[in-house]
Amino acid sequence: MDARWSKAEIGELLDRYVLGLDYDKLDDEWTAELFSDDVVIEFPVSRHTGIDGLAEYHRRALAMWAGTHHLNTPSVVSVSGDRATLRANMTSVHVHHEREGEIRPHYVSGTCVTGDAVRTERGWRLSRLSFDLIWKTGNPPD
């Protein structure tokens, strides 16, 4: 397979992940379409290993917010056989749940996303995503 097509497919996995956080039903079908069985997801405040429970992990994290909006740059992807690495930037806006009489500024962050992908019998899947905080404004939830 031409490496250009693999790079596009791998970059699209990150795009679909990011869009999914804001718009999709996060369930086992969602995770199976994006991740390898042994995936590792690393955020500055938490980590999850393995595809089992990954959808619930994301649902719990996103439930802390009234809404989110994630935007990523195109991925820089390097392919070597059945393995690949990727890197992109992401800006994430997190809207606090309303509290009576209180206006809270959104929590906004900029991160560098790095990751790995592997070619499986189901096609390319993300095997690792790591989000390194570069900057932030506002406060995380209490």
PDB file of all heavy atoms in Angstrom, residues 6-7 10 77-86 115-119 124 127:
ATOM      1  N   SER A   6      -1.628   5.458   3.559  1.00  0.00           N
ATOM      2  CA  SER A   6      -1.540   5.099   4.971  1.00  0.00           C
ATOM      3  C   SER A   6      -1.481   6.347   5.839  1.00  0.00           C
ATOM      4  O   SER A   6      -2.150   6.432   6.872  1.00  0.00           O
ATOM      5  CB  SER A   6      -0.306   4.231   5.228  1.00  0.00           C
ATOM      6  OG  SER A   6      -0.447   2.972   4.614  1.00  0.00           O
ATOM      7  N   LYS A   7      -0.680   7.331   5.434  1.00  0.00           N
ATOM      8  CA  LYS A   7      -0.580   8.570   6.208  1.00  0.00           C
ATOM      9  C   LYS A   7      -1.926   9.267   6.297  1.00  0.00           C
ATOM     10  O   LYS A   7      -2.319   9.753   7.366  1.00  0.00           O
ATOM     11  CB  LYS A   7       0.449   9.509   5.579  1.00  0.00           C
ATOM     12  CG  LYS A   7       1.872   9.059   5.768  1.00  0.00           C
ATOM     13  CD  LYS A   7       2.831  10.032   5.117  1.00  0.00           C
ATOM     14  CE  LYS A   7       4.261   9.582   5.316  1.00  0.00           C
ATOM     15  NZ  LYS A   7       5.224  10.565   4.793  1.00  0.00           N
ATOM     16  N   ILE A  10      -4.198   7.290   8.711  1.00  0.00           N
ATOM     17  CA  ILE A  10      -3.777   7.464  10.107  1.00  0.00           C
ATOM     18  C   ILE A  10      -4.159   8.862  10.606  1.00  0.00           C
ATOM     19  O   ILE A  10      -4.683   9.023  11.708  1.00  0.00           O
ATOM     20  CB  ILE A  10      -2.273   7.191  10.247  1.00  0.00           C
ATOM     21  CG1 ILE A  10      -1.996   5.720   9.939  1.00  0.00           C
ATOM     22  CG2 ILE A  10      -1.768   7.577  11.628  1.00  0.00           C
ATOM     23  CD1 ILE A  10      -0.558   5.425   9.581  1.00  0.00           C
ATOM     24  N   VAL A  77       2.580  12.579   9.921  1.00  0.00           N
ATOM     25  CA  VAL A  77       2.598  11.124  10.097  1.00  0.00           C
ATOM     26  C   VAL A  77       3.840  10.542   9.431  1.00  0.00           C
ATOM     27  O   VAL A  77       4.169  10.907   8.296  1.00  0.00           O
ATOM     28  CB  VAL A  77       1.330  10.478   9.488  1.00  0.00           C
ATOM     29  CG1 VAL A  77       1.366   8.967   9.633  1.00  0.00           C
ATOM     30  CG2 VAL A  77       0.071  11.050  10.134  1.00  0.00           C
ATOM     31  N   SER A  78       4.505   9.638  10.139  1.00  0.00           N
ATOM     32  CA  SER A  78       5.627   8.880   9.576  1.00  0.00           C
ATOM     33  C   SER A  78       5.279   7.404   9.657  1.00  0.00           C
ATOM     34  O   SER A  78       4.903   6.912  10.723  1.00  0.00           O
ATOM     35  CB  SER A  78       6.915   9.138  10.366  1.00  0.00           C
ATOM     36  OG  SER A  78       7.271  10.488  10.297  1.00  0.00           O
ATOM     37  N   VAL A  79       5.408   6.708   8.519  1.00  0.00           N
ATOM     38  CA  VAL A  79       5.057   5.288   8.446  1.00  0.00           C
ATOM     39  C   VAL A  79       6.320   4.472   8.237  1.00  0.00           C
ATOM     40  O   VAL A  79       7.167   4.814   7.407  1.00  0.00           O
ATOM     41  CB  VAL A  79       4.061   5.021   7.298  1.00  0.00           C
ATOM     42  CG1 VAL A  79       3.751   3.539   7.175  1.00  0.00           C
ATOM     43  CG2 VAL A  79       2.788   5.827   7.492  1.00  0.00           C
ATOM     44  N   SER A  80       6.426   3.359   8.986  1.00  0.00           N
ATOM     45  CA  SER A  80       7.505   2.402   8.805  1.00  0.00           C
ATOM     46  C   SER A  80       6.894   1.007   8.894  1.00  0.00           C
ATOM     47  O   SER A  80       6.639   0.502   9.991  1.00  0.00           O
ATOM     48  CB  SER A  80       8.574   2.603   9.883  1.00  0.00           C
ATOM     49  OG  SER A  80       9.610   1.650   9.721  1.00  0.00           O
ATOM     50  N   GLY A  81       6.629   0.420   7.742  1.00  0.00           N
ATOM     51  CA  GLY A  81       6.003  -0.897   7.705  1.00  0.00           C
ATOM     52  C   GLY A  81       4.599  -0.863   8.268  1.00  0.00           C
ATOM     53  O   GLY A  81       3.750  -0.108   7.790  1.00  0.00           O
ATOM     54  N   ASP A  82       4.350  -1.662   9.309  1.00  0.00           N
ATOM     55  CA  ASP A  82       3.034  -1.743   9.933  1.00  0.00           C
ATOM     56  C   ASP A  82       2.911  -0.875  11.174  1.00  0.00           C
ATOM     57  O   ASP A  82       2.019  -1.066  11.991  1.00  0.00           O
ATOM     58  CB  ASP A  82       2.716  -3.204  10.304  1.00  0.00           C
ATOM     59  CG  ASP A  82       2.454  -4.059   9.074  1.00  0.00           C
ATOM     60  OD1 ASP A  82       2.153  -3.495   8.005  1.00  0.00           O
ATOM     61  OD2 ASP A  82       2.552  -5.296   9.186  1.00  0.00           O
ATOM     62  N   ARG A  83       3.827   0.070  11.327  1.00  0.00           N
ATOM     63  CA  ARG A  83       3.797   0.982  12.479  1.00  0.00           C
ATOM     64  C   ARG A  83       3.935   2.418  11.980  1.00  0.00           C
ATOM     65  O   ARG A  83       4.527   2.675  10.927  1.00  0.00           O
ATOM     66  CB  ARG A  83       4.935   0.674  13.445  1.00  0.00           C
ATOM     67  CG  ARG A  83       4.851  -0.740  13.998  1.00  0.00           C
ATOM     68  CD  ARG A  83       5.664  -0.871  15.272  1.00  0.00           C
ATOM     69  NE  ARG A  83       5.327  -2.074  15.989  1.00  0.00           N
ATOM     70  CZ  ARG A  83       4.307  -2.221  16.813  1.00  0.00           C
ATOM     71  NH1 ARG A  83       3.491  -1.231  17.025  1.00  0.00           N
ATOM     72  NH2 ARG A  83       4.082  -3.362  17.432  1.00  0.00           N
ATOM     73  N   ALA A  84       3.397   3.326  12.764  1.00  0.00           N
ATOM     74  CA  ALA A  84       3.463   4.735  12.385  1.00  0.00           C
ATOM     75  C   ALA A  84       3.461   5.602  13.636  1.00  0.00           C
ATOM     76  O   ALA A  84       3.041   5.167  14.715  1.00  0.00           O
ATOM     77  CB  ALA A  84       2.271   5.095  11.505  1.00  0.00           C
ATOM     78  N   THR A  85       3.958   6.830  13.474  1.00  0.00           N
ATOM     79  CA  THR A  85       3.885   7.838  14.527  1.00  0.00           C
ATOM     80  C   THR A  85       3.147   9.042  13.960  1.00  0.00           C
ATOM     81  O   THR A  85       3.102   9.249  12.742  1.00  0.00           O
ATOM     82  CB  THR A  85       5.276   8.274  15.016  1.00  0.00           C
ATOM     83  OG1 THR A  85       5.999   8.833  13.913  1.00  0.00           O
ATOM     84  CG2 THR A  85       6.046   7.099  15.602  1.00  0.00           C
ATOM     85  N   LEU A  86       2.562   9.814  14.857  1.00  0.00           N
ATOM     86  CA  LEU A  86       1.880  11.036  14.418  1.00  0.00           C
ATOM     87  C   LEU A  86       2.098  12.127  15.443  1.00  0.00           C
ATOM     88  O   LEU A  86       2.395  11.863  16.609  1.00  0.00           O
ATOM     89  CB  LEU A  86       0.389  10.794  14.186  1.00  0.00           C
ATOM     90  CG  LEU A  86      -0.497  10.424  15.366  1.00  0.00           C
ATOM     91  CD1 LEU A  86      -1.025  11.658  16.070  1.00  0.00           C
ATOM     92  CD2 LEU A  86      -1.654   9.585  14.887  1.00  0.00           C
ATOM     93  N   GLY A 115       1.385  10.375  18.998  1.00  0.00           N
ATOM     94  CA  GLY A 115       0.757   9.062  19.039  1.00  0.00           C
ATOM     95  C   GLY A 115       1.449   8.059  18.155  1.00  0.00           C
ATOM     96  O   GLY A 115       2.363   8.385  17.383  1.00  0.00           O
ATOM     97  N   ASP A 116       0.981   6.831  18.309  1.00  0.00           N
ATOM     98  CA  ASP A 116       1.442   5.714  17.496  1.00  0.00           C
ATOM     99  C   ASP A 116       0.222   5.034  16.902  1.00  0.00           C
ATOM    100  O   ASP A 116      -0.878   5.071  17.471  1.00  0.00           O
ATOM    101  CB  ASP A 116       2.199   4.690  18.350  1.00  0.00           C
ATOM    102  CG  ASP A 116       3.419   5.288  19.024  1.00  0.00           C
ATOM    103  OD1 ASP A 116       4.161   6.025  18.348  1.00  0.00           O
ATOM    104  OD2 ASP A 116       3.618   5.026  20.222  1.00  0.00           O
ATOM    105  N   ALA A 117       0.432   4.398  15.774  1.00  0.00           N
ATOM    106  CA  ALA A 117      -0.618   3.605  15.134  1.00  0.00           C
ATOM    107  C   ALA A 117       0.001   2.298  14.655  1.00  0.00           C
ATOM    108  O   ALA A 117       1.202   2.231  14.380  1.00  0.00           O
ATOM    109  CB  ALA A 117      -1.230   4.365  13.959  1.00  0.00           C
ATOM    110  N   VAL A 118      -0.839   1.286  14.583  1.00  0.00           N
ATOM    111  CA  VAL A 118      -0.415  -0.026  14.080  1.00  0.00           C
ATOM    112  C   VAL A 118      -1.419  -0.499  13.044  1.00  0.00           C
ATOM    113  O   VAL A 118      -2.612  -0.204  13.130  1.00  0.00           O
ATOM    114  CB  VAL A 118      -0.293  -1.067  15.217  1.00  0.00           C
ATOM    115  CG1 VAL A 118       0.819  -0.702  16.167  1.00  0.00           C
ATOM    116  CG2 VAL A 118      -1.599  -1.241  15.960  1.00  0.00           C
ATOM    117  N   ARG A 119      -0.897  -1.239  12.051  1.00  0.00           N
ATOM    118  CA  ARG A 119      -1.788  -1.840  11.062  1.00  0.00           C
ATOM    119  C   ARG A 119      -2.266  -3.171  11.633  1.00  0.00           C
ATOM    120  O   ARG A 119      -1.466  -4.028  12.005  1.00  0.00           O
ATOM    121  CB  ARG A 119      -1.071  -2.056   9.730  1.00  0.00           C
ATOM    122  CG  ARG A 119      -2.042  -2.407   8.606  1.00  0.00           C
ATOM    123  CD  ARG A 119      -1.363  -2.800   7.300  1.00  0.00           C
ATOM    124  NE  ARG A 119      -0.114  -2.163   7.027  1.00  0.00           N
ATOM    125  CZ  ARG A 119       0.084  -1.196   6.130  1.00  0.00           C
ATOM    126  NH1 ARG A 119      -0.924  -0.739   5.434  1.00  0.00           N
ATOM    127  NH2 ARG A 119       1.292  -0.711   5.930  1.00  0.00           N
ATOM    128  N   TRP A 124      -5.637   0.298   9.956  1.00  0.00           N
ATOM    129  CA  TRP A 124      -4.846   1.097  10.880  1.00  0.00           C
ATOM    130  C   TRP A 124      -5.671   1.445  12.106  1.00  0.00           C
ATOM    131  O   TRP A 124      -6.853   1.784  11.998  1.00  0.00           O
ATOM    132  CB  TRP A 124      -4.365   2.381  10.206  1.00  0.00           C
ATOM    133  CG  TRP A 124      -3.237   2.171   9.264  1.00  0.00           C
ATOM    134  CD1 TRP A 124      -3.307   2.105   7.894  1.00  0.00           C
ATOM    135  CD2 TRP A 124      -1.860   1.995   9.606  1.00  0.00           C
ATOM    136  NE1 TRP A 124      -2.053   1.895   7.382  1.00  0.00           N
ATOM    137  CE2 TRP A 124      -1.145   1.825   8.395  1.00  0.00           C
ATOM    138  CE3 TRP A 124      -1.155   1.959  10.802  1.00  0.00           C
ATOM    139  CZ2 TRP A 124       0.227   1.631   8.373  1.00  0.00           C
ATOM    140  CZ3 TRP A 124       0.212   1.765  10.774  1.00  0.00           C
ATOM    141  CH2 TRP A 124       0.891   1.605   9.565  1.00  0.00           C
ATOM    142  N   SER A 127      -2.640   3.196  18.575  1.00  0.00           N
ATOM    143  CA  SER A 127      -2.203   2.366  19.690  1.00  0.00           C
ATOM    144  C   SER A 127      -1.734   3.202  20.887  1.00  0.00           C
ATOM    145  O   SER A 127      -1.578   2.676  21.985  1.00  0.00           O
ATOM    146  CB  SER A 127      -1.082   1.417  19.252  1.00  0.00           C
ATOM    147  OG  SER A 127       0.023   2.151  18.757  1.00  0.00           O
TER     148      SER A 127
END
